[in-house]
């Protein structure tokens, strides 16, 4: 069975306090949904149109698990805490 990766690329952080509040809820919601954090932080190097902003890679065992986690009430509460505190690009992709 192939793994699934949830990739969050931040474009801008507008409110560090809102991001911190989001983080308190999001980490627990993702882990309880079966997600495993593989990498998170500021890129060591960027190329092309890459931004020197926070990036997170999370592994799940299935696409259904990743989507259910994102759409579930616990993660939605985390998003509510974040509000408009950050601009992000979230992608969920299946590995080959």
């Amino acid at each position: 069975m192939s793994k699934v990766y949830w990739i969050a690329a931040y474009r801008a952080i507008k409110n560090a306090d809102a991001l911190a509040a989001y983080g308190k809820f999001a980490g627990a919601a993702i882990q309880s949904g079966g997600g495993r954090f593989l990498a998170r932080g500021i890129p060591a190097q960027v190329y092309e149109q890459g931004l020197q902003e926070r990036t997170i890679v999370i592994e799940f065992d299935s696409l259904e698990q990743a989507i259910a986690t994102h759409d579930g009430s616990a993660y939605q509460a985390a998003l509510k805490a974040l509000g408009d505190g950050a601009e992000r690009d979230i992608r969920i992709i299946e590995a080959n």
Side-chain angles (χ1 to χ4, degrees), residues 14-45:
K14 300 181 196 179
N15 182 329
D17 291 336
L19 181 60
Y22 159 83
K24 289 179 185 177
F25 297 111
I30 289 167
Q31 289 175 328
S32 70
R36 295 172 297 282
F37 288 89
L38 300 181
R40 52 183 157 183
I42 303 298
Q45 180 65 43

Side-chain angles (χ1 to χ4, degrees), residues 40-53:
R40 52 183 157 183
I42 303 298
Q45 180 65 43
V46 296
Y47 292 100
E48 299 179 31
Q49 284 77 43
L51 299 175
Q52 195 72 25
E53 290 288 349

